[in-house]
């Protein structure tokens, strides 16, 4: 069994920063891509940022230049540093990771339950 647990969500004022963390635990052989989606009330889930096992990253246009993503492979953890937060960044942020539990499988995408980010004055 694999579990992803996010942390770091909070209520912050516009312009401030937050860092989200997501740790994968359980029976893990390897982790390929990890990243973050977000879902705001009444809106579709949106890919925010992702990072491959080699460190190659990708970002949604709406967060480029403000958000960075990193990972610590020794801790099976991915981070999302969010700077210059805007009201429109308010959402539930969900972590995902594509994980192989054995050498023989192609891998499965696992999801966390989310951490809430609210940007408001």
């Amino acid at each position: 069994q694999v579990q992803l647990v996010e942390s770091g969500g909070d209520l912050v004022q516009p312009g401030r920063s937050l860092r989200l963390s997501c740790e994968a635990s359980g029976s893990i052989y390897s982790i390929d891509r990890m990243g973050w989606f977000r879902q705001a009330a009444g809106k579709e889930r949106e890919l925010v940022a992702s990072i491959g096992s080699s460190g190659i990253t990708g970002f949604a246009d709406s967060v480029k230049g403000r958000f960075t993503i990193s990972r610590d492979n020794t801790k099976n953890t991915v981070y999302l540093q969010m700077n210059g937060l805007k009201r429109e960044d308010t959402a539930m942020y969900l972590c995902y990771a594509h994980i192989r539990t054995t050498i023989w499988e192609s891998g499965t995408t696992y999801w966390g339950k989310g951490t809430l980010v609210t940007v408001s004055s």
Side-chain angles (χ1 to χ4, degrees):
Q1 280 72 15
V2 173
Q3 190 175 23
L4 271 64
V5 178
E6 302 99 332
S7 61
D10 204 347
L11 168 63
V12 295
Q13 294 180 332
R16 303 300 292 268
S17 298
L18 272 180
R19 189 175 85 149
L20 306 183
S21 301
C22 172
E23 180 180 5
S25 62
S27 180
I28 297 172
Y29 173 75
S30 67
I31 303 178
D32 185 13
R33 185 157 291 274
M34 305 180 81
W36 297 87
F37 277 74
R38 67 185 179 187
Q39 187 159 22
K43 295 187 177 181
E44 293 188 356
R45 189 172 291 189
E46 171 191 26
L47 176 62
V48 177
S50 66
I51 182 168
S53 56
S54 61
I56 296 175
T57 59
F59 296 91
D61 288 342
S62 58
V63 305
K64 282 181 181 176
R66 299 189 297 123
F67 291 10
T68 59
I69 188 169
S70 61
R71 61 191 284 172
D72 185 336
N73 292 328
T74 66
K75 298 180 179 179
N76 292 333
T77 299
V78 61
Y79 305 96
L80 184 68
Q81 178 67 42
M82 305 185 294
N83 300 326
L85 283 162
K86 304 176 180 180
R87 289 182 175 81
E88 51 265 41
D89 294 318
T90 295
M92 182 69 76
Y93 284 71
L94 300 110
C95 167
Y96 78 94
H98 193 76
I99 296 173
R100 289 199 292 168
T101 58
T102 69
I103 192 172
W104 299 281
E105 67 167 299
S106 61
T108 301
T109 299
Y110 294 86
W111 292 87
K113 294 183 178 180
T115 186
L116 183 62
V117 173
T118 304
V119 184
S120 175
S121 54

